Amino acid sequence: MTDPDSPFHPIDAARLSDAVVAQIEALILQGVLRPGERLPGERDLAERMGVSRPSLREALAAMQADGLLVARPGSGVFVADVLGSAFSPALVRLIARHPQAADDYLTFRKDLEGLAAERAAIAAGDTDLEVLDRIVQAMRHAHATPDPQAEAALDADFHMAIVEASHNLIALHMMRAMQDLLRQGMLFNRPRIFASPDLRDRILDQHIAINDALQMRDGPQARAALEEHLDLVAQTLSAQRRADDHAAVARLRLHNRPGS
């Protein structure tokens, strides 16, 4: 029996294994199947796709040979890390040490996400808009707690959901690679941005404004609201860096004082 919630659907083609490959490739491209995600078991997957197990095995073997899937003995078949990281570890460390590079990173995100927000206002399906609205409601709930960690994580989810709602496959995978760095705190400490109550209030209001524009399918307003939000993030990071620099100078002067 077909599961209506499953992303897989019955195959109807002359060469079944080719059609299986095409369907799974599309799910990977669309971000439905993510790197490291385990595929359903062979019997279950063959039933969902309406193909024989030999045809399914042929397709999975072809995708493993192509580097899209990886089989782990005793565990199953998984989506390979086809995206990887957009930045090598050495480049990440280099960017983290140089503020201009981190600023450029935020500028690129502003360009990418601004376009994505404008596109999402038109291209988003009802389900996409529901996902965005649920995230913002969760933000409201997390905002009422004293711990900024949950709100910071939802912030990352919200920005990712906007790009997903734009239905641009290249933007989706680029953003996913960049979001991994943000979640790991490689470029800046997201919870630190949420540490100030006043700033948390402003950021929540901005997220609500972005979501409101998307729900109304107002592309220009969604883009303007998102760009205003990322400008605030950039200004906050710049202010934090100046404060850190001043504190470091003060500590150095204290250390070098006679008798210290």
Side-chain angles (χ1 to χ4, degrees), residues 62-191:
M63 296 189 72
Q64 289 174 52
D66 202 30
L68 294 172
L69 299 177
V70 58
R72 299 175 187 166
S75 298
V77 178
F78 296 79
V79 178
D81 190 7
V82 293
L83 180 62
S85 174
F87 311 95
S88 69
L91 180 58
V92 171
R93 291 192 294 271
L94 184 62
I95 290 174
R97 290 196 297 269
H98 293 270
Q100 182 58 51
D103 290 342
D104 288 346
Y105 167 83
L106 277 175
T107 298
F108 178 76
R109 276 193 59 203
K110 178 180 172 181
D111 293 340
L112 173 65
E113 293 184 48
L115 285 169
E118 189 163 14
R119 179 181 174 85
I122 300 170
D126 291 342
T127 300
D128 296 316
L129 295 179
E130 289 170 6
V131 168
L132 287 162
D133 205 47
R134 283 200 301 271
I135 294 173
V136 170
Q137 297 313 313
M139 282 180 174
R140 291 178 184 270
H141 179 75
H143 189 74
T145 69
D147 184 3
Q149 290 281 355
E151 195 172 0
L154 287 165
D155 176 86
D157 292 340
F158 182 68
H159 285 268
M160 189 71 244
I162 291 172
V163 179
E164 289 176 345
S166 75
H167 295 285
N168 183 297
L169 299 178
I170 303 303
L172 168 64
H173 289 286
M174 285 295 297
M175 186 63 179
R176 185 162 290 162
M178 292 190 296
Q179 283 290 77
D180 287 344
L181 292 178
L182 283 182
R183 291 180 191 277
Q184 296 167 28
M186 298 291 235
L187 297 181
F188 56 85
N189 186 338
R190 210 182 201 107

Side-chain angles (χ1 to χ4, degrees), residues 39 58 68 87 90 101 121 130 140 143-144 153 158 210 214 226 244 254:
L39 267 61
E58 182 180 353
L68 294 172
F87 311 95
E130 289 170 6
R140 291 178 184 270
H143 189 74
F158 182 68
I210 295 167
L214 289 169
L226 190 141
D244 290 344
L254 181 63

